Amino acid sequence: MGRGAAFFDLDKTVIAKSSALAFGRPFYRDGLITRRDVVKSAYAQLMFRLGGTDEQTMARTRDYLATLCKGWQVEQVRQIVAETLHELINPYVYAEAAALIEEHQAAGRDVVLVSASGEEMVRPIGELLGVTDVIATRMAVEDGRYSGEVEFYAAGPSKVDAVSQLATERGYDLGASYAYSDSYSDRPLLECVGHPTAVNPDRALRKLAVENSWPVLEFRYPIPLGRRLRERPAVPVAAAALGVGVGVAIGIAWYGRHRRTRATTATPTT
């Protein structure tokens, strides 16, 4: 029997927002996305919400993201993420999630972030948390630019494929492993380990957790890293126990709404 590992979904499980959404504003600022992209992405987000998390919907989302990112310079994306990480992500890491990650590490388990967001975003977030292993979406690159092809889309059953491969390489015992997620779309991930936990679950996942007697955690305290190191988590993980980054498309759709709201607020009245 091998040792167990702990697999964490990222958005709404470890951080209190969408990782891709968080970087939508600097991507717009630096010219990677346009107003037309905002409109198209708003439609893509609507289709995802209406269509759920079936394979066809996830495939459409994957293909749209590949087209959107085609031609972007990889180094520019990495630079944007590096420059804005502490402003856009650090304040939104759940204290309870950070404490839980530390508990697993102290118990000798490897911690792995598993997210549909791009590896260029997920890996720096992992480093912020002291996590070196990530499973994330990988875009194909040619001559330093995204080619418009997706090498690996870390969503749905594909997450389980990657987790299983990593378990084989590392000798993890999945029966002794843990998984955490907020989304019903991660049902395959949760079901592939011996210790699944729903965190801030959506309605469908909460129902599934109740039916299977899975633990349910509610994380409510995002605290910047500096404060966590000084004060430690204000609320213990045990006290929270009660029992999907679609991608850049969601982020830029949100930014479009945000700009319209600001424009309306700034309009002078007579």
Side-chain angles (χ1 to χ4, degrees):
M1 299 292 289
R3 62 193 176 98
F7 301 94
F8 284 79
D9 177 46
L10 182 58
D11 299 347
K12 307 299 179 65
T13 302
V14 173
I15 61 176
K17 59 163 58 180
S18 162
S19 51
L21 180 154
F23 294 107
R25 182 167 53 185
F27 284 168
Y28 183 94
R29 179 199 65 203
D30 283 24
L32 293 179
I33 56 179
T34 65
R35 291 187 179 183
R36 182 181 179 187
D37 293 326
V38 171
V39 175
K40 292 171 65 177
S41 298
Y43 178 76
Q45 180 189 19
L46 176 62
M47 291 299 99
F48 182 86
R49 291 188 178 278
L50 294 179
T53 53
D54 59 273
E55 287 189 26
Q56 187 177 15
T57 302
M58 287 192 289
R60 286 199 301 265
T61 304
R62 176 200 63 204
D63 294 343
Y64 176 76
L65 292 175
T67 301
L68 178 68
C69 299
K70 184 176 181 178
W72 291 6
Q73 292 184 4
V74 178
E75 188 55 38
Q76 182 182 10
V77 172
R78 290 174 177 165
Q79 184 176 353
I80 292 172
V81 172
E83 291 175 350
T84 58
L85 182 68
H86 285 274
E87 172 191 355
L88 300 177
I89 298 297
N90 183 30
Y92 298 96
V93 176
Y94 284 119
E96 302 96 327
L100 189 55
I101 287 172
E102 290 176 357
E103 288 179 14
H104 281 296
Q105 292 172 329
R109 301 185 191 95
D110 290 344
V111 174
V112 184
L113 292 184
V114 187
S115 173
S117 292
E119 187 174 32
E120 291 80 4
M121 301 177 191
V122 179
R123 191 166 296 281
I125 295 174
E127 292 173 356
L128 185 69
L129 295 162
V131 176
T132 58
D133 294 316
V134 304
I135 292 172
T137 295
R138 297 190 305 273
M139 310 294 289
V141 177
E142 293 180 2
D143 299 324
R145 295 178 181 269
Y146 296 117
S147 68
E149 301 293 330
V150 179
E151 288 186 351
F152 173 71
Y153 187 46
S158 294
K159 285 187 177 182
V160 177
D161 294 340
V163 165
S164 298
Q165 180 179 346
L166 185 62
T168 299
E169 294 172 355
R170 300 277 183 86
Y172 296 147
D173 175 7
L174 291 181
S177 294
Y178 297 74
Y180 302 87
S181 179
D182 70 301
S183 173
Y184 185 82
S185 66
D186 279 332
R187 177 176 181 171
L189 172 66
L190 294 167
E191 290 181 335
C192 84
V193 300
H195 303 282
T197 298
V199 177
N200 299 338
D202 57 31
R203 182 177 301 179
L205 179 57
R206 187 179 295 275
K207 182 175 182 292
L208 181 67
V210 170
E211 290 173 349
N212 289 277
S213 299
W214 293 347
V216 175
L217 298 176
E218 299 288 348
F219 291 171
R220 292 289 181 264
Y221 298 93
I223 298 177
L225 179 61
R227 284 187 56 191
R228 288 200 305 275
L229 293 176
R230 292 194 304 269
E231 305 170 8
R232 314 304 292 173
V235 178
V237 172
L242 300 181
V244 44
V246 177
V248 177
I250 292 179
I252 60 180
W254 169 86
Y255 185 64
R257 294 196 300 270
H258 179 68
R259 282 176 56 84
R260 289 194 295 272
T261 301
R262 289 182 59 187
T264 301
T265 304
T267 301
T269 57
T270 56

